[in-house]
Amino acid sequence: MRRQAPTLEDVAREAGVSRATVSRVINGVRNVDPAIRETVRQAVSRTGYAPNQAARSLVTRRTGTVALVMSGAGDVSDEEQDAFAARALTDPFFGRVVSGVVRQLRPRSMHPVLMFAETAEARQEVVGYLRQGSADGALVVSTHADDPLPALLAGAGLPAVLFARPSRPVALSHVDLAHRDGGRLAAEHLLGRGCRRIVTVSGPLAVSASQERLAGFRDTMARHGHAYVPFVQGGFTVDSGMTAMTELLAEHPEADGVFAANDLMAQGICQVLRERGRRVPHDVAVVGFDDSSVAVACRPPLTTVRQPVEDMAAAMARLLAEHIRGARTEPASVVFDPELVVRESA
Amino acid sequence: MRRQAPTLEDVAREAGVSRATVSRVINGVRNVDPAIRETVRQAVSRTGYAPNQAARSLVTRRTGTVALVMSGAGDVSDEEQDAFAARALTDPFFGRVVSGVVRQLRPRSMHPVLMFAETAEARQEVVGYLRQGSADGALVVSTHADDPLPALLAGAGLPAVLFARPSRPVALSHVDLAHRDGGRLAAEHLLGRGCRRIVTVSGPLAVSASQERLAGFRDTMARHGHAYVPFVQGGFTVDSGMTAMTELLAEHPEADGVFAANDLMAQGICQVLRERGRRVPHDVAVVGFDDSSVAVACRPPLTTVRQPVEDMAAAMARLLAEHIRGARTEPASVVFDPELVVRESA
DNA sequence: CCGTCACGGGAGAGCGCTCTCCCTCCATGG
DNA sequence: CCATGGAGGGAGAGCGCTCTCCCGTGACGG
């Protein structure tokens, strides 16, 4: 079957009109006589015609594809490189990002190409991919504060939107959360519950979101008379949460409240607490961050600072679409507000 | 900057050679005089030339892009549709698939476009996407036994490779696990530990892998004198595992062993067991399936049937690449063997 | 009754590349 | 010394589309 796919020319011949007319019908531009339009439509379905995207892209300079880039640390060792994709995708956070992005892209008939930029080589590949016109723009989910990718993209004049504010200012639109407020919310809640010996497990400090959450948390604590809050740096994984909590418990066995910079770590923390015979929230209250799927799956369900990831991702996609079609030229910044979701853990 | 991207023509003029020669240098075909090659290379970097993929695809009929399709049930309601992507990506299983696929695709400079085919419309979009040459082929991770997508793809003569054997035979290559053997492994292990009152939580029976695991498990149990094994159908999620176990415990409080069709459910089962005061594995032994990231994160770490998902995904990508470049014309079938991984839960 | 204009359709010039021919040049052997 | 052939380079024909320009037609007003 279909030894040779039918072209516009074939359809035009079949319908007895010119190529231009068929093109008009297919793309719905300008008025075409209803009778002719119908004839063309029938010719299209009779021939089983499907427009060739490459030919189309060649002249429109648009592909309908965007790169969805999970951008990582500065550089990563070989064995880590393999795990990068798996780890990124295992985090419920990324699932939500993809979900939000896809929801916006679909009605625009755009499609995301998944890319990972964890090494200098991979970053060059992303830039090259865009420069050769394989994708119209990039959505970058950058975890590392000094990720070089945004600057590369901006330097090449490529349309891109970032998740998270870049540490060094760069001429790209971005979407972010008011992480500082999130930290404040967590502190106020723990304080409000009457917790007095509060500790915290931060995210990797190389991630600016971690720094902000921690800063907001500490500032609020300080304002309420807790000048010093013991903390340990975690890695945003369940495991790292467990390790961190074990460490904190060794030095501060009297702790009665803990703020974890994400839900995954909060889950690990709850686990360690339970193993040590501490009841959550009775003995120790735990506040997470994200309000991801694990927040409800966790025992007890987590009180957490909600980050509207899907909406943020959707905003990213919308911004990028605007940049691509030229409806927006100046970089924009959209900041979302966090929200405390009270469940059982605190 | 770059008002107009440089073309082959520009580079050729800059280097003082013909377009054809520049093309040869860039694609590394045929012999080119080393001196000229160097001149061209310099002209390329001086102009900052990047080949236009659309123009290239137009003539080569190849894009270097493959669709990575998460194909779902027959049809799905509107509210489920939104959640589909998020759910699919949250399951650690998909992360492993993507990781394996990307590892194979990268060295071939191919890229995956993420697509979700959970409705008839979405399936048509996938087929259309391939038909218009936006992608060279499809990798389909099909969960539902009677997923119509494989047949659509095969019918259109499009290169595609499936994860999981299709229920109705279809002329496409596929990669699968010997699920039946996996079920057998689980049964033998529980029996070997001395469990006598064994129950099981299956996956959704609409998924053929679930049926196979269950069948393998039951057959082995029957062969060892357990004609009937109480079972409840789960949904491959932590939640559904909890619900299922609660139900099973109500009717079979004396249970001393349980086989869960995946690790996520096994995790939920362990949680319920602990809440009910049953010690794992002392009172009840639990065997999971997959050996995903949660298997090690779970308390206690899960004894589970390992599915080499990354390798399977890599095999898929390799097969598809072969089909695309025409190195393979007949559909192939690659079946991997499961392996029991003994940890603490059983 | 003729000029004007809006509307619908066709012709054809590219978009930027690859790839098949063909041509030239030089090394080689009889 | 000339026929032969292989290697390296150039010319040019597309690939399948979009889009600008142009042309014919019929409605309308002066």
Side-chain angles (χ1 to χ4, degrees):
Chain A
M1 77 195 50
R2 63 181 210 96
R3 301 206 64 77
Q4 191 70 301
T7 72
L8 250 203
E9 190 73 51
D10 298 327
V11 179
R13 201 179 314 114
E14 177 83 15
V17 297
S18 75
R19 238 172 31 240
T21 301
V22 179
S23 176
R24 282 182 195 121
V25 171
I26 287 172
N27 297 304
V29 299
R30 267 188 38 180
N31 279 343
V32 173
D33 187 285
I36 295 189
R37 183 164 36 202
E38 194 43 40
T39 312
V40 171
R41 289 245 169 83
Q42 286 176 13
V44 166
S45 69
R46 214 171 320 125
T47 51
Y49 171 73
N52 179 305
Q53 183 56 43
R56 209 173 233 185
S57 295
L58 185 55
V59 31
T60 60
R61 305 186 162 282
R62 199 123 303 158
T63 62
T65 295
V66 301
L68 177 51
V69 190
M70 306 295 176
S71 190
D75 248 310
V76 141
S77 67
D78 269 8
E79 60 265 33
E80 275 184 82
Q81 190 175 336
D82 261 5
F84 186 81
R87 186 155 33 90
L89 291 171
T90 297
D91 193 321
F93 174 80
F94 289 102
R96 295 172 69 192
V97 170
V98 173
S99 171
V101 164
V102 168
R103 187 166 63 224
Q104 280 298 315
L105 254 28
R106 245 188 193 165
R108 298 182 161 83
S109 358
M110 296 176 80
H111 300 272
V113 170
L114 214 48
M115 303 188 84
F116 298 90
E118 75 283 26
T119 62
E121 196 187 343
R123 278 189 287 276
Q124 278 311 324
E125 206 194 320
V126 172
V127 173
Y129 193 73
L130 291 169
R131 292 219 322 136
Q132 69 184 9
S134 288
D136 301 332
L139 295 167
V140 181
V141 182
S142 192
T143 56
H144 218 71
D146 41 58
D147 181 359
L149 186 60
L152 287 176
L153 258 15
L158 297 164
V161 177
L162 311 176
F163 196 107
R165 181 165 48 81
S167 55
R168 261 167 306 217
V170 66
L172 295 178
S173 287
H174 70 265
V175 167
D176 205 358
L177 184 81
H179 294 286
R180 221 169 254 269
D181 287 345
R184 178 177 54 74
L185 253 29
E188 285 170 353
H189 184 71
L190 286 172
L191 255 11
R193 282 190 113 253
C195 297
R196 286 300 167 261
R197 304 179 181 283
I198 301 176
V199 299
T200 181
V201 178
S202 77
L205 292 180
V207 177
S208 54
S210 302
Q211 291 175 8
E212 296 286 298
R213 289 174 198 175
L214 181 59
F217 184 75
R218 276 176 162 168
D219 284 358
T220 309
M221 292 296 289
R223 197 164 300 131
H224 286 78
H226 296 74
Y228 173 72
V229 180
F231 91 104
V232 169
Q233 191 179 164
F236 278 156
T237 63
V238 175
D239 259 14
S240 69
M242 298 182 68
T243 312
M245 195 61 212
T246 306
E247 202 173 317
L248 280 169
L249 234 33
E251 299 204 16
H252 308 276
E254 78 294 352
D256 63 356
V258 34
F259 167 48
N262 81 343
D263 290 343
L264 247 30
M265 295 195 299
Q267 189 184 16
I269 288 167
C270 287
Q271 220 152 73
V272 167
L273 252 16
R274 189 169 37 231
E275 282 166 12
R276 296 287 191 289
R278 309 287 214 289
R279 286 162 301 171
V280 176
H282 192 273
D283 299 329
V284 184
V286 177
V287 174
F289 206 108
D290 277 352
D291 193 25
S292 66
S293 57
V294 310
V296 279
C298 189
R299 294 297 110 148
L302 296 174
T303 287
T304 186
V305 178
R306 174 165 180 78
Q307 184 173 199
V309 179
E310 291 87 348
D311 296 342
M312 295 167 73
M316 269 210 302
R318 211 163 31 232
L319 277 175
L320 183 60
E322 289 173 11
H323 279 296
I324 288 172
R325 70 162 192 273
R328 176 186 298 278
T329 49
E330 292 307 298
S333 152
V334 182
V335 179
F336 285 74
D337 285 324
E339 197 178 320
L340 188 76
V341 177
V342 180
R343 293 206 182 84
E344 300 176 23
S345 72
Chain B
M1 79 196 51
R2 62 182 210 98
R3 302 205 63 76
Q4 191 71 303
T7 72
L8 251 201
E9 190 73 51
D10 298 327
V11 179
R13 200 178 317 116
E14 177 84 15
V17 296
S18 75
R19 236 172 32 242
T21 301
V22 179
S23 176
R24 282 180 195 122
V25 172
I26 287 173
N27 297 302
V29 298
R30 266 188 40 179
N31 279 342
V32 173
D33 186 285
I36 295 191
R37 182 164 38 203
E38 193 43 41
T39 312
V40 171
R41 289 245 168 83
Q42 286 176 12
V44 165
S45 70
R46 215 172 319 126
T47 53
Y49 171 73
N52 179 305
Q53 183 56 44
R56 207 174 235 184
S57 295
L58 185 55
V59 31
T60 59
R61 307 185 160 284
R62 199 123 305 158
T63 62
T65 295
V66 301
L68 177 52
V69 190
M70 306 296 176
S71 191
D75 248 310
V76 141
S77 66
D78 269 9
E79 59 266 32
E80 274 184 84
Q81 190 175 336
D82 261 6
F84 186 81
R87 187 156 32 89
L89 291 172
T90 297
D91 193 321
F93 174 80
F94 290 103
R96 294 173 69 192
V97 171
V98 173
S99 169
V101 164
V102 168
R103 188 167 59 223
Q104 280 298 315
L105 254 29
R106 244 188 194 165
R108 298 181 162 82
S109 359
M110 296 176 83
H111 300 274
V113 171
L114 215 47
M115 303 189 85
F116 299 90
E118 75 286 26
T119 62
E121 197 187 341
R123 278 188 288 276
Q124 278 311 324
E125 206 194 319
V126 171
V127 173
Y129 193 75
L130 291 168
R131 291 221 322 136
Q132 69 184 9
S134 288
D136 302 332
L139 295 168
V140 180
V141 181
S142 192
T143 57
H144 217 71
D146 41 58
D147 182 358
L149 185 61
L152 287 176
L153 257 15
L158 296 165
V161 178
L162 311 177
F163 196 107
R165 181 164 47 80
S167 56
R168 261 169 306 221
V170 67
L172 294 178
S173 287
H174 70 265
V175 166
D176 205 357
L177 185 81
H179 294 286
R180 218 169 257 269
D181 287 344
R184 177 176 56 74
L185 253 30
E188 285 169 353
H189 185 70
L190 286 172
L191 254 12
R193 280 190 115 255
C195 298
R196 286 300 168 260
R197 304 179 180 284
I198 300 177
V199 299
T200 181
V201 178
S202 77
L205 293 181
V207 177
S208 54
S210 303
Q211 291 176 10
E212 296 286 300
R213 289 173 199 177
L214 181 58
F217 185 74
R218 275 176 163 170
D219 285 357
T220 309
M221 291 298 288
R223 197 163 300 130
H224 287 77
H226 296 73
Y228 173 73
V229 180
F231 92 102
V232 169
Q233 191 181 162
F236 278 156
T237 63
V238 176
D239 259 13
S240 70
M242 297 183 70
T243 312
M245 195 62 212
T246 306
E247 201 174 317
L248 279 168
L249 234 33
E251 298 204 18
H252 307 276
E254 77 295 352
D256 62 357
V258 32
F259 168 47
N262 81 343
D263 291 342
L264 247 29
M265 298 196 297
Q267 190 183 17
I269 287 167
C270 287
Q271 221 151 71
V272 167
L273 251 18
R274 190 169 37 229
E275 283 166 12
R276 295 288 190 287
R278 308 286 214 289
R279 286 162 300 171
V280 177
H282 192 271
D283 300 327
V284 185
V286 177
V287 174
F289 206 106
D290 276 354
D291 193 25
S292 64
S293 57
V294 310
V296 278
C298 189
R299 296 296 111 147
L302 295 175
T303 288
T304 187
V305 178
R306 174 165 181 75
Q307 185 173 197
V309 179
E310 291 87 349
D311 295 342
M312 294 168 73
M316 270 210 302
R318 210 163 30 232
L319 277 175
L320 184 61
E322 288 173 12
H323 279 296
I324 289 173
R325 69 163 193 271
R328 176 186 298 278
T329 49
E330 291 307 298
S333 151
V334 182
V335 179
F336 284 75
D337 285 322
E339 198 178 320
L340 187 76
V341 178
V342 180
R343 294 206 182 83
E344 299 176 24
S345 73

